[in-house]
Amino acid sequence: MKYTFYIYLFLLATFIACKSEDRKTEIDNIIAEVKEEFAPDKRVALFDVQWEDGKLLGETNLPEAHDALLAKLAENNKEFSDSIQLLPAAELGTKHLALVTNSVANIRSAPKHSAELATQALMGTPLNVLKSSGNWYLVQTPDDYISWVDAAAIVLVDQPTLDKWFEKEKVVVTEMISSIYSDDKFEDIVSDITAGNVLEVNGYENGNYLVTLPDQRTGVIQGDHAINYEVWKNSRNTSDNNLIQTAREMMGSPYLWGGTSPKGIDCSGFTKTIYFLNGMVIPRDASQQVNEGELIDENKNWENLQVGDLLFFGVPATDTTKERVVHVGMWIGDGKFIHSRGRVRISSFDPEDELFDAAELKRYLRTKRIRNQPSENILTVEQVLQ
């Protein structure tokens, strides 16, 4: 009898454990379904949720995903307590927004300087702030990229402060690399600046702009190195000449993984910067850019391509592996494209051309056209910088 009782207890415990494991699997599957629907790309949406011992744990910046998860669990009669943290974190208070105050803010995959450089944001770029960790902030850029930035590169603001900044007269830096000086003697540097930086303008003296940085430092910019924001915004267009001229002005800029400025730039950061400086804000990475626009070519019919088309390179899909898009460049005509590989350079698909690039030809995948192709993932500079 004693052994029978122990066997019964063992079987009961096993049954309960199996039921608990089955329940966890069911809930994990529901969480996975919601994540796939609302946050399939972790680069641009945060939905880090787990179920443990009857509790929903984790965090998300997507209230709609949180609501959908609770609804699905209720529909399936699952009991739980909700401990998911909705971002921005409450401890940020009203200052859950920021402006970039360095010429280029390095935005990293983890809250430390040794972490991978994920992307960059230019001076004057507004950011959503999600949470903090020490002297680092998890931020989301206007193109939705989520990563960590050092507190020294930004200034935290509330919504009224940001609204006032949007209303102020501003200038946009047009010189690829320049400086803000303390006065018009142009001796003492306040900050370096780069094309696309946005600053408040306080006056125009002796042909130069008097400016205020987002963190309230002040200085002077040479008049021919910047332009009034409204004039700049209204003059942006993705004409053949504008795209080629902008791209060529970055010739020789060094390759930098995660870079999106002339100071250092990766392949998709290069195409993104070309379009940004001409009025369009396109997705950050090549694997995102390839999903936009109209398919133009998959068969190396170069005669179908137009200036500004994006060429994608990588590893084709097989029966057992997915396609890998690892590189992107921009077509400039005459059998040539410009791209950042090692440095910004021009390559050719013509075997008779001294710029012939056999390596890129071998891994060519397709060409997409994003000009005049409406998409919810492509914004205008006005939508980003107002």
Short mmCIF file of all heavy atoms in Angstrom, two decimals, residues 200-229:
data_model
loop_
_atom_site.label_atom_id
_atom_site.label_comp_id
_atom_site.label_asym_id
_atom_site.label_seq_id
_atom_site.Cartn_x
_atom_site.Cartn_y
_atom_site.Cartn_z
N GLU A 200 18.93 76.08 -34.22
CA GLU A 200 18.15 77.31 -34.10
C GLU A 200 19.01 78.48 -34.56
O GLU A 200 20.19 78.57 -34.21
CB GLU A 200 17.74 77.50 -32.64
CG GLU A 200 16.98 78.78 -32.37
CD GLU A 200 16.74 79.01 -30.90
OE1 GLU A 200 17.01 78.09 -30.09
OE2 GLU A 200 16.30 80.12 -30.54
N VAL A 201 18.43 79.39 -35.34
CA VAL A 201 19.18 80.56 -35.82
C VAL A 201 18.66 81.80 -35.09
O VAL A 201 17.45 82.02 -34.97
CB VAL A 201 19.06 80.72 -37.35
CG1 VAL A 201 17.62 80.88 -37.80
CG2 VAL A 201 19.90 81.88 -37.82
N ASN A 202 19.62 82.60 -34.60
CA ASN A 202 19.26 83.79 -33.83
C ASN A 202 19.54 85.09 -34.58
O ASN A 202 19.16 86.17 -34.12
CB ASN A 202 20.04 83.81 -32.50
CG ASN A 202 19.80 82.56 -31.68
OD1 ASN A 202 18.66 82.16 -31.50
ND2 ASN A 202 20.85 81.94 -31.19
N GLY A 203 20.24 84.99 -35.67
CA GLY A 203 20.54 86.20 -36.42
C GLY A 203 21.48 85.91 -37.58
O GLY A 203 21.94 84.78 -37.76
N TYR A 204 21.72 86.93 -38.36
CA TYR A 204 22.58 86.82 -39.53
C TYR A 204 23.44 88.07 -39.58
O TYR A 204 22.95 89.17 -39.83
CB TYR A 204 21.71 86.70 -40.79
CG TYR A 204 22.45 86.33 -42.05
CD1 TYR A 204 22.96 85.05 -42.24
CD2 TYR A 204 22.65 87.29 -43.05
CE1 TYR A 204 23.63 84.71 -43.41
CE2 TYR A 204 23.32 86.96 -44.22
CZ TYR A 204 23.81 85.67 -44.39
OH TYR A 204 24.49 85.34 -45.54
N GLU A 205 24.74 87.93 -39.28
CA GLU A 205 25.64 89.07 -39.21
C GLU A 205 26.89 88.83 -40.03
O GLU A 205 27.49 87.75 -39.97
CB GLU A 205 26.04 89.35 -37.75
CG GLU A 205 24.91 89.83 -36.87
CD GLU A 205 25.37 90.16 -35.47
OE1 GLU A 205 26.59 90.04 -35.20
OE2 GLU A 205 24.52 90.53 -34.63
N ASN A 206 27.26 89.84 -40.78
CA ASN A 206 28.48 89.78 -41.60
C ASN A 206 28.50 88.54 -42.50
O ASN A 206 29.54 87.94 -42.74
CB ASN A 206 29.72 89.79 -40.70
CG ASN A 206 29.80 91.02 -39.82
OD1 ASN A 206 29.47 92.12 -40.26
ND2 ASN A 206 30.21 90.84 -38.58
N GLY A 207 27.30 88.16 -42.95
CA GLY A 207 27.21 87.03 -43.86
C GLY A 207 27.24 85.68 -43.19
O GLY A 207 27.29 84.65 -43.87
N ASN A 208 27.17 85.65 -41.85
CA ASN A 208 27.24 84.39 -41.12
C ASN A 208 26.02 84.20 -40.21
O ASN A 208 25.38 85.18 -39.81
CB ASN A 208 28.51 84.36 -40.26
CG ASN A 208 29.76 84.58 -41.08
OD1 ASN A 208 30.00 83.88 -42.06
ND2 ASN A 208 30.56 85.57 -40.70
N TYR A 209 25.71 82.94 -39.88
CA TYR A 209 24.57 82.63 -39.03
C TYR A 209 24.99 82.58 -37.56
O TYR A 209 25.98 81.92 -37.21
CB TYR A 209 23.95 81.28 -39.40
CG TYR A 209 23.23 81.28 -40.73
CD1 TYR A 209 23.80 80.68 -41.85
CD2 TYR A 209 21.97 81.87 -40.86
CE1 TYR A 209 23.13 80.66 -43.06
CE2 TYR A 209 21.30 81.86 -42.07
CZ TYR A 209 21.89 81.26 -43.17
OH TYR A 209 21.23 81.25 -44.38
N LEU A 210 24.21 83.24 -36.70
CA LEU A 210 24.34 83.09 -35.26
C LEU A 210 23.37 82.00 -34.82
O LEU A 210 22.17 82.11 -35.08
CB LEU A 210 24.01 84.41 -34.54
CG LEU A 210 24.74 85.66 -35.06
CD1 LEU A 210 24.32 86.88 -34.24
CD2 LEU A 210 26.25 85.47 -35.00
N VAL A 211 23.88 80.95 -34.18
CA VAL A 211 23.04 79.78 -33.93
C VAL A 211 23.10 79.36 -32.46
O VAL A 211 24.03 79.69 -31.72
CB VAL A 211 23.48 78.59 -34.81
CG1 VAL A 211 23.29 78.89 -36.28
CG2 VAL A 211 24.92 78.18 -34.51
N THR A 212 22.05 78.61 -32.07
CA THR A 212 21.99 77.99 -30.75
C THR A 212 21.80 76.49 -30.93
O THR A 212 20.91 76.06 -31.68
CB THR A 212 20.83 78.56 -29.91
OG1 THR A 212 21.04 79.97 -29.70
CG2 THR A 212 20.74 77.86 -28.56
N LEU A 213 22.64 75.72 -30.27
CA LEU A 213 22.53 74.27 -30.32
C LEU A 213 21.38 73.82 -29.42
O LEU A 213 20.93 74.57 -28.54
CB LEU A 213 23.84 73.61 -29.88
CG LEU A 213 25.01 73.65 -30.85
CD1 LEU A 213 25.60 75.05 -30.98
CD2 LEU A 213 26.10 72.66 -30.43
N PRO A 214 20.89 72.60 -29.58
CA PRO A 214 19.78 72.11 -28.74
C PRO A 214 20.07 72.15 -27.25
O PRO A 214 19.14 72.24 -26.45
CB PRO A 214 19.57 70.68 -29.25
CG PRO A 214 20.01 70.73 -30.67
CD PRO A 214 21.19 71.66 -30.68
N ASP A 215 21.36 72.09 -26.85
CA ASP A 215 21.70 72.15 -25.42
C ASP A 215 22.04 73.57 -24.97
O ASP A 215 22.61 73.78 -23.90
CB ASP A 215 22.85 71.21 -25.09
CG ASP A 215 24.14 71.54 -25.86
OD1 ASP A 215 24.13 72.55 -26.59
OD2 ASP A 215 25.11 70.80 -25.72
N GLN A 216 21.69 74.56 -25.81
CA GLN A 216 21.81 75.99 -25.51
C GLN A 216 23.22 76.56 -25.65
O GLN A 216 23.45 77.72 -25.32
CB GLN A 216 21.26 76.32 -24.11
CG GLN A 216 19.79 75.96 -23.94
CD GLN A 216 18.91 76.56 -25.04
OE1 GLN A 216 18.89 77.77 -25.22
NE2 GLN A 216 18.19 75.72 -25.79
N ARG A 217 24.19 75.80 -26.12
CA ARG A 217 25.45 76.41 -26.53
C ARG A 217 25.18 77.31 -27.73
O ARG A 217 24.25 77.06 -28.50
CB ARG A 217 26.47 75.33 -26.91
CG ARG A 217 27.04 74.55 -25.73
CD ARG A 217 27.99 73.47 -26.22
NE ARG A 217 27.28 72.39 -26.90
CZ ARG A 217 27.88 71.46 -27.65
NH1 ARG A 217 29.19 71.50 -27.84
NH2 ARG A 217 27.15 70.52 -28.22
N THR A 218 26.01 78.33 -27.88
CA THR A 218 25.81 79.26 -28.98
C THR A 218 27.10 79.39 -29.79
O THR A 218 28.19 79.08 -29.31
CB THR A 218 25.39 80.65 -28.48
OG1 THR A 218 26.41 81.16 -27.61
CG2 THR A 218 24.07 80.57 -27.74
N GLY A 219 26.95 79.87 -31.01
CA GLY A 219 28.12 80.05 -31.86
C GLY A 219 27.78 80.64 -33.21
O GLY A 219 26.66 81.15 -33.43
N VAL A 220 28.73 80.55 -34.12
CA VAL A 220 28.61 81.15 -35.46
C VAL A 220 28.93 80.09 -36.51
O VAL A 220 29.89 79.33 -36.36
CB VAL A 220 29.58 82.34 -35.61
CG1 VAL A 220 29.49 82.93 -37.02
CG2 VAL A 220 29.30 83.40 -34.56
N ILE A 221 28.13 80.06 -37.58
CA ILE A 221 28.38 79.19 -38.73
C ILE A 221 28.65 80.07 -39.94
O ILE A 221 27.95 81.07 -40.17
CB ILE A 221 27.16 78.29 -39.03
CG1 ILE A 221 26.86 77.35 -37.88
CG2 ILE A 221 27.41 77.46 -40.29
CD1 ILE A 221 25.62 76.49 -38.11
N GLN A 222 29.63 79.70 -40.73
CA GLN A 222 29.87 80.42 -41.98
C GLN A 222 28.61 80.41 -42.84
O GLN A 222 27.97 79.36 -43.02
CB GLN A 222 31.04 79.78 -42.74
CG GLN A 222 32.38 79.98 -42.06
CD GLN A 222 33.48 79.24 -42.78
OE1 GLN A 222 34.08 78.31 -42.24
NE2 GLN A 222 33.77 79.64 -44.01
N GLY A 223 28.27 81.54 -43.39
CA GLY A 223 27.02 81.70 -44.09
C GLY A 223 26.81 80.78 -45.27
O GLY A 223 25.69 80.37 -45.56
N ASP A 224 27.91 80.42 -45.95
CA ASP A 224 27.76 79.54 -47.11
C ASP A 224 27.84 78.06 -46.74
O ASP A 224 27.90 77.21 -47.62
CB ASP A 224 28.81 79.87 -48.17
CG ASP A 224 30.23 79.77 -47.64
OD1 ASP A 224 30.41 79.60 -46.42
OD2 ASP A 224 31.17 79.86 -48.47
N HIS A 225 27.83 77.75 -45.44
CA HIS A 225 27.86 76.36 -44.99
C HIS A 225 26.50 75.89 -44.47
O HIS A 225 26.37 74.78 -43.97
CB HIS A 225 28.92 76.16 -43.89
CG HIS A 225 30.31 76.19 -44.42
ND1 HIS A 225 31.40 75.82 -43.66
CD2 HIS A 225 30.81 76.54 -45.63
CE1 HIS A 225 32.50 75.94 -44.39
NE2 HIS A 225 32.16 76.38 -45.59
N ALA A 226 25.47 76.77 -44.56
CA ALA A 226 24.14 76.42 -44.08
C ALA A 226 23.11 77.19 -44.87
O ALA A 226 23.44 78.11 -45.64
CB ALA A 226 24.01 76.73 -42.58
N ILE A 227 21.84 76.82 -44.67
CA ILE A 227 20.75 77.46 -45.40
C ILE A 227 19.53 77.47 -44.50
O ILE A 227 19.35 76.58 -43.66
CB ILE A 227 20.47 76.71 -46.72
CG1 ILE A 227 19.45 77.45 -47.58
CG2 ILE A 227 20.00 75.29 -46.46
CD1 ILE A 227 19.26 76.83 -48.96
N ASN A 228 18.69 78.48 -44.64
CA ASN A 228 17.44 78.55 -43.89
C ASN A 228 16.64 77.26 -44.06
O ASN A 228 16.51 76.74 -45.17
CB ASN A 228 16.62 79.75 -44.36
CG ASN A 228 15.26 79.82 -43.70
OD1 ASN A 228 14.30 79.22 -44.18
ND2 ASN A 228 15.17 80.55 -42.59
N TYR A 229 16.12 76.74 -42.94
CA TYR A 229 15.44 75.44 -42.98
C TYR A 229 14.26 75.43 -43.94
O TYR A 229 14.08 74.47 -44.71
CB TYR A 229 14.97 75.04 -41.57
CG TYR A 229 14.07 73.84 -41.58
CD1 TYR A 229 14.57 72.57 -41.87
CD2 TYR A 229 12.69 73.97 -41.36
CE1 TYR A 229 13.72 71.47 -41.92
CE2 TYR A 229 11.86 72.88 -41.40
CZ TYR A 229 12.37 71.62 -41.68
OH TYR A 229 11.54 70.53 -41.73
#
